[in-house]
Each structure stands twice: as C-alpha cells, then as structure tokens.
Amino acid sequence: MSITVKDKTFDVFINQKELAEAVNRIGKEINEDYAKKNPLLVVILNGAFMFASDLMKTLTINCAITFLKLSSYAGTQSTGKIRKLIGLNENIQDKDVIIIEDIIDTGFTINDTIESIQQYKPSSVRVASLLFKKEALQKPAQIDYVGFTIPNDFVVGYGLDYDGLGRNLPAIYKLIN
Ligand code: IMP
Ligand code: MG
C-alpha cells in the first residue's frame, strides 16, 4: 500500500516484522559480543531514535545510553559543510561505545562521528546501523552491525524522515519514482 509524505509517494519496503527480526538479530549479536561488558549506546539523533529504542529492549547485558546531535553549518573552509557533534563529553572516556545510526549513505556522517568520538578516548568503538546504502558509499565506513543493505533509493519511516516528516511510520517505505 502506498502512502504520501508531504508531496511524494512511497511504497512499503521493509515491514514491521522484518524490522523486528533484524533488530532482534543485532541485539543477539551485541549480547554475545559484549557479554562481559557494559557498553554505552551513543544514539545519533534524530533518525536513530526508534531503532535505538527497540534495539535497547533486546539487550540483556547491562548497558547505558546517551544521545548526540549533529549540527551542520557552512564552514569557512573550502570543504564546505562541517558537522559538529552536540552532546559529546568526557563520559565517553574508557567506555565501550556502540554508535547507533539509522542509515549509512555516503559514509561521511559516520566517519565524522567516529572521529569526534575518538577524541574522548573510548575503550572501543563499534557501529550499528539499521540500513546501509552500499552503492552510495563514497568513503570507506566502519559498520559492525547492519540491519539491511539496501539499494540507493530514498527511504522514510521508523525514525527516518523526508523534510522532517514520516518518522512516525512503523515500517520503512521507499520513494516511488
Ligand atoms: P551520509 O553522510 O551520506 O552517510 O548520511 C547519512 C545521513 O543522511 C543519515 O543519518 C540520514 O539522516 C540521511 N539519509 C541518507 N539517506 C537517507 C534516506 O534515504 N532517507 C532519509 N534520510 C537519509
Ligand atoms: Mg541520521
């Protein structure tokens, strides 16, 4: 069934059951990999909030959570956009950090995020991303846990937005061209 978000039409792409299965699988992997650890989930806002919430409920290990927001602004350098992480602090030091992302597209965001987090000297850093647009990747990216590798289509739902809308959808929808 297709839906409209703002001025565009989308079709169901990954349903709720498939999402729940992927989240449970990642949770199981994390429970095993971090069996003797107390990881800190670092959630990249806004898109990853729903994935993080469902994922955390599948974790049986002791774990903590914190949230980071990326702010993009025009930089003075010729490289153009510079992303700054808001909410980062020394609480990350000596922690086993698991970055929770909604989607890895070009790979620039996750690379910037990892670089910023490393400044605070965590014990370890891993990345869990619900979606991965493999064909869109422009910069090699660390991804330790992935829900779905998807084609280079624009998607909304389950936290992901189109112009701020669509995050409430319980499934993932893709743009119909
Ligand atoms: P990257 O730096 O290109 O990897 O950008 C990743 C970010 O772009 C994600 O955290 C999303 O906020 C956004 N993004 C990339 N692809 C999509 C999409 O298909 N739908 C919604 N947001 C997307
Ligand atoms: Mg995001």
Side-chain angles (χ1 to χ4, degrees):
M1 203 190 73
S2 58
I3 51 138
T4 303
V5 178
K6 205 176 170 188
D7 55 354
K8 297 205 187 308
T9 310
F10 295 82
D11 259 346
V12 179
F13 177 47
I14 304 170
N15 67 33
Q16 283 176 265
K17 186 169 171 280
E18 292 164 328
L19 283 170
E21 283 166 2
V23 170
N24 282 326
R25 169 175 50 79
I26 294 172
K28 203 163 163 261
E29 288 171 26
I30 292 174
N31 284 328
E32 287 166 9
D33 294 349
Y34 290 82
K36 294 185 183 65
K37 292 180 173 164
N38 301 327
L40 172 66
L41 309 183
V42 175
V43 184
I44 309 306
L45 295 174
N46 292 323
F49 79 96
M50 206 175 276
F51 171 46
S53 165
D54 285 344
L55 179 64
M56 200 183 192
K57 285 179 269 183
T58 71
L59 299 183
T60 51
I61 47 172
N62 281 302
C63 56
I65 192 164
T66 191
F67 301 87
L68 292 185
K69 202 169 167 74
L70 289 161
S71 81
S72 299
Y73 57 92
T76 50
Q77 293 159 321
S78 57
T79 45
K81 288 251 166 136
I82 295 172
R83 273 181 293 263
K84 191 170 173 288
L85 283 170
I86 302 170
L88 253 193
N89 56 47
E90 64 286 350
N91 296 335
I92 283 171
Q93 193 174 336
D94 299 326
K95 298 279 165 63
D96 291 302
V97 167
I98 307 176
I99 299 171
I100 312 293
E101 253 293 21
D102 53 356
I103 186 165
I104 294 174
D105 186 7
T106 61
F108 290 117
T109 305
I110 195 65
N111 275 291
D112 286 0
T113 305
I114 293 169
E115 208 172 289
S116 304
I117 284 176
Q118 292 288 11
Q119 291 170 17
Y120 292 89
K121 311 251 179 287
S123 298
S124 67
V125 177
R126 284 193 182 178
V127 176
S129 184
L130 178 68
L131 305 173
F132 174 36
K133 286 188 190 172
K134 200 174 183 174
E135 293 152 25
L137 201 65
Q138 290 181 35
K139 192 174 178 186
Q142 178 192 348
I143 315 172
D144 302 283
Y145 307 98
V146 63
F148 301 90
T149 299
I150 65 167
N152 198 2
D153 294 315
F154 188 77
V155 293
V156 293
Y158 198 69
L160 290 109
D161 73 302
Y162 163 52
D163 245 1
L165 301 175
R167 295 192 198 274
N168 53 307
L169 297 163
I172 303 269
Y173 290 73
K174 81 171 180 188
L175 182 67
I176 310 172
N177 295 304

